[in-house]
Amino acid sequence: MASTKTQDERLTEWNNTVLKYLIPNDVVLSLYLILGTIGNITVILVYVFKMKVKRDDRFFIPVLASVDFIACLVGASFAFAWNIIPVKFNNGIVCEVLWFVSQGVTIISAVLLIIIAVQRYLKVCKPSFIFTQKMKYFCTILAFCFGFAFSVPIFFYYGSVEIYNPMLNVTGFWCGQKRQNIEHVIIFDISAVIVAVIASIVLIILYILIGKAIYRKFIIFQQSVKQGKYTKNQRSSVELESVLAVDKDNENESSRSRANSIEDLVECDTYRRKVKRGSADTLDQGRFFTIGQHFRTHRYSYMFMTITALFIIAYSPRVTLMLLESIDPNFWNKPNEAIAGFLFLYRMYLLNHAVNPFIYTFFDTRFRKAVSEIFCCCCATKKSMSL
């Protein structure tokens, strides 16, 4: 029956068959796209225009949110286009450009996470070293340059590739790795895996050191609170030395950091006064206070730890599949169910870019409050207009 059909009809039949198995994948991609675009746009607008006190800790958040927004928009749109025409993707230029952008923003995100980890390490473990605004801008530009420079080989090793279906006796076009110069493709993918492994190890080591330093400070802080010795004169040397580290060459930055230090110390001073009055309830709840104040002081370190851990988990399947794809020429010649499963893992990296806004909301109380105010204002406006 297949022999009576034209080439285009057989190709369309093959495309529709694969497309049906990718419908669950489309549902997941829709969630990535909706949550990622709306969430990251909200983060950018709130942190840039709404936050009155801009902490040193928040500098990289709008930058990372911008990269996450591009990653979700381009990555999910690319995946949707691929799902609609999985074996009819014959536009090589579009394929290469989309691969380049999606790969580039992912690498930029990884480099930014390394820069953030270094900044957190210096802030917590080496507070005498000042990570200035100029250094932050320079590192951000460096991250973008490295991400796109490392992705340039995409134009040579990826594109529209012919793929043959012996069952239907038809040739289609797949947007993926080219088989020409496969040795170079393998070297490129192995290099990407090595860089990813090294970056992961560096991130893990840095956050282990940060975690150990935070734990030591927590023990000292807890003992000081229990003994009732935690006073305003001691606070900079005990728990909040990282908060009080300011950019000496920028008076505005200095005042902002001090303002946030006061914000973090309100609960400490309140608790200290209650201890002097001998409140039994306060003494019984001392452990909960120290844990809460510790978390409040180091919440940005914990936030970026969570983001980094999620990034490593979400991006690992993609790197692994890229390497397997280059080594095995028949990697994608599998049943449609297997292809759908592999593509789900291939695109799981988008989960990190889509979920980050919710992580910011959980850890940053000021951001959460600003978002609540915006939504309450919108609801009130709609209600007044309906009346």
Side-chain angles (χ1 to χ4, degrees), residues 4 19 35 63 95 169 215-216 222 250 277 307 310 364:
T4 62
L19 187 152
L35 296 178
V63 180
C95 175
N169 188 27
Y215 179 74
R216 286 195 299 267
Q222 188 178 41
N250 190 321
R277 292 199 300 266
I307 292 173
L310 182 60
D364 194 335

Side-chain angles (χ1 to χ4, degrees), residues 32 170 176 224 303 308:
Y32 290 157
V170 64
S224 299
M303 179 178 73
T308 301

Side-chain angles (χ1 to χ4, degrees), residues 335-348:
N336 293 326
E337 298 89 341
I339 292 177
F342 286 143
L343 287 176
F344 171 77
L345 295 174
Y346 214 92
R347 293 149 178 179
M348 199 171 75

Side-chain angles (χ1 to χ4, degrees), residues 35 105 270 297 311:
L35 296 178
V105 293
T270 302
T297 303
F311 180 88

Side-chain angles (χ1 to χ4, degrees), residues 23-43:
I23 291 177
N25 202 286
D26 290 332
V27 175
V28 176
L29 288 174
S30 299
L31 293 176
Y32 290 157
L33 183 61
I34 295 172
L35 296 178
T37 53
I38 296 177
N40 285 298
I41 287 176
T42 302
V43 171

Side-chain angles (χ1 to χ4, degrees), residues 3-291:
S3 60
T4 62
K5 296 181 180 179
T6 64
Q7 178 86 357
D8 290 339
E9 289 175 339
R10 280 177 283 162
L11 183 59
T12 302
E13 178 184 345
W14 183 18
N15 189 86
N16 292 339
T17 302
V18 179
L19 187 152
K20 291 178 183 178
Y21 284 93
L22 298 178
I23 291 177
N25 202 286
D26 290 332
V27 175
V28 176
L29 288 174
S30 299
L31 293 176
Y32 290 157
L33 183 61
I34 295 172
L35 296 178
T37 53
I38 296 177
N40 285 298
I41 287 176
T42 302
V43 171
I44 296 168
L45 294 177
V46 171
Y47 273 106
V48 173
F49 300 106
K50 187 70 177 177
M51 305 292 275
K52 295 181 180 179
V53 180
K54 299 183 184 298
R55 293 188 64 128
D56 171 63
D57 309 87
R58 297 186 178 114
F59 176 86
F60 288 105
I61 293 178
V63 180
L64 194 59
S66 301
V67 175
D68 289 337
F69 168 72
I70 297 173
C72 287
L73 183 63
V74 176
S77 300
F78 178 28
F80 270 123
W82 197 99
N83 285 2
I84 294 173
I85 49 174
V87 295
K88 298 175 69 175
F89 210 125
N90 57 0
N91 193 322
I93 296 177
V94 173
C95 175
E96 293 169 4
V97 171
L98 291 175
W99 259 109
F100 172 77
V101 176
S102 61
Q103 180 84 350
V105 293
T106 302
I107 296 175
I108 292 170
S109 181
V111 177
L112 285 174
L113 290 178
I114 294 175
I115 294 171
I116 291 169
V118 172
Q119 187 223 13
R120 301 311 308 172
Y121 171 78
L122 294 173
K123 194 174 184 69
V124 176
C125 303
K126 307 288 183 181
S128 59
F129 184 91
I130 305 300
F131 204 83
T132 64
Q133 291 290 97
K134 291 181 180 179
M135 293 172 63
K136 293 171 189 173
Y137 284 116
F138 174 77
C139 290
T140 302
I141 295 172
L142 186 65
F144 278 83
C145 292
F146 179 83
F148 287 124
F150 192 83
S151 303
V152 168
I154 290 290
F155 289 106
F156 302 97
Y157 304 142
Y158 283 76
S160 183
V161 183
E162 289 188 357
I163 183 171
Y164 179 69
N165 186 335
M167 298 291 293
L168 296 174
N169 188 27
V170 64
T171 300
F173 296 92
W174 182 278
C175 183
Q177 288 182 350
K178 299 177 182 177
R179 303 313 298 181
Q180 299 93 339
N181 300 321
I182 190 59
E183 297 84 2
H184 296 167
V185 178
I186 294 175
I187 293 173
F188 173 71
D189 286 338
I190 291 177
S191 301
V193 171
I194 293 174
V195 171
V197 171
I198 293 175
S200 300
I201 293 173
V202 169
L203 287 167
I204 291 170
I205 291 174
L206 285 173
Y207 278 117
I208 287 175
L209 295 174
I210 293 170
K212 290 174 65 177
I214 288 176
Y215 179 74
R216 286 195 299 267
K217 292 181 181 182
F218 171 69
I219 296 300
I220 297 173
F221 178 68
Q222 188 178 41
Q223 292 173 351
S224 299
V225 171
K226 283 182 179 180
Q227 296 171 4
K229 298 179 180 179
Y230 189 77
T231 65
K232 291 183 179 180
N233 294 330
Q234 295 171 316
R235 63 196 180 197
S236 63
S237 61
V238 180
E239 172 68 7
L240 297 170
E241 58 185 28
S242 63
V243 177
L244 295 174
V246 297
D247 189 348
K248 294 181 180 179
D249 66 352
N250 190 321
E251 294 181 0
N252 292 332
E253 188 68 22
S254 176
S255 62
R256 288 168 182 167
S257 296
R258 290 194 185 98
N260 284 281
S261 301
I262 294 171
E263 170 196 336
D264 288 335
L265 287 167
V266 169
E267 295 181 11
C268 286
D269 295 336
T270 302
Y271 178 78
R272 180 171 52 80
R273 289 195 296 270
K274 288 183 179 180
V275 169
K276 285 187 175 181
R277 292 199 300 266
S279 172
D281 292 338
T282 302
L283 293 173
D284 291 339
Q285 296 174 4
R287 178 181 299 178
F288 296 101
F289 166 79
T290 53
I291 293 175

